[in-house]
Amino acid sequence: MNSNIRQNEVLKRTEDHIKELFEGEGSGHDWWHIFRVRNLALKISELEGGNRFTIEMAALLHDLDDWKLQTDNHTSRARTWLEQMDVEKAQQEKILQVISEVSFKGAEVETAATSTEAKIVQDADRLDAIGAIGIARTFAYGGNKNRLMYDPSIPPVMHNSFDDYKKSTAPTINHFYEKLLLLKERLNTSAALQIANERHIFMETFLDRFFGEWNGEI
């Protein structure tokens, strides 16, 4: 079978599989988040290069083993799926390496992307965490985890380890300062930065309005 036809078949089956698994997810990490990340990654790839099959597969699978959604961290569902799809071993490892480098792990934790493909997928995932959709997803996640919206007595924390970041149960507003407002400066590609600028400003405007209303000034 022609390799391009084979890759297209794997991508279609992967999309169907992920859509079925994530369609009803309620924490902001649903199918439509994955859909947007995949599309953003391919858009960035048009300008930045990289292997499009690796990029698209990694984007589709990037939340399959996410610590925020998984209770069993011993079995990689992404690896299992790639093996089931009979993806060539070296290609599997490239895709899994990209996935391993996507997640934010704390304000003071290094999260370097080591390939063009990883830089692109990491950027796409971070773009979907900021702006109007990023705000909506942040509150969806906070509600899903039964977190307070805001508590002035609990300050943001710049986590210096992944374990501390994972253990945090801070109010949702803190997440803007602990992660979201930091992302623009941590993007890898100029294409992503162009998209991020307006989204970042929108978050700052939202927070100004939020605190104005909270304090009774608006």
Side-chain angles (χ1 to χ4, degrees), residues 45-179:
S45 175
E46 290 175 3
L47 298 173
E48 303 288 344
N51 182 285
R52 287 177 65 86
F53 178 72
T54 299
I55 289 166
E56 188 166 0
M57 285 295 289
L60 286 169
L61 297 171
H62 83 276
D63 273 342
L64 202 52
D65 296 307
D66 192 293
W67 64 270
K68 296 184 290 297
L69 309 175
Q70 282 287 93
T71 55
D72 175 15
N73 295 318
H74 301 293
T75 303
S76 169
R77 295 197 295 170
R79 182 181 293 277
T80 299
W81 177 256
L82 289 168
E83 290 173 350
Q84 185 176 331
M85 289 294 95
D86 200 26
V87 174
E88 191 262 329
K89 188 65 176 177
Q91 186 76 66
Q92 283 188 38
E93 296 307 320
K94 289 179 182 177
I95 293 166
L96 292 167
Q97 181 64 32
V98 171
I99 293 170
S100 73
E101 297 178 1
V102 170
S103 291
F104 183 88
K105 295 179 171 64
E108 296 183 1
V109 180
E110 182 79 15
T111 54
T114 59
S115 67
T116 298
E117 292 81 6
K119 290 175 182 178
I120 288 171
V121 179
Q122 187 188 80
D123 279 2
D125 188 52
R126 292 180 174 184
L127 285 173
D128 205 57
I130 63 176
I133 285 177
I135 292 170
R137 291 183 63 226
T138 300
F139 284 100
Y141 184 78
N144 182 267
K145 297 299 181 181
N146 200 33
R147 295 186 180 180
L148 292 173
M149 181 174 68
Y150 177 54
D151 184 340
S153 71
I154 304 176
V157 175
M158 298 295 103
H159 303 100
N160 58 17
S161 79
F162 188 28
D163 282 341
D164 286 345
Y165 178 68
K166 287 191 289 185
K167 292 174 185 175
S168 175
T169 58
T172 296
I173 285 292
N174 290 31
H175 193 60
F176 286 85
Y177 299 95
E178 295 171 350
K179 176 183 177 181

Side-chain angles (χ1 to χ4, degrees), residues 9 33-34 44 53 74-75 82 91 106 134 142 183 187 195 206:
E9 178 188 335
H33 160 65
I34 296 165
I44 295 168
F53 178 72
H74 301 293
T75 303
L82 289 168
Q91 186 76 66
L183 294 181
L187 295 172
I195 298 170
F206 166 78

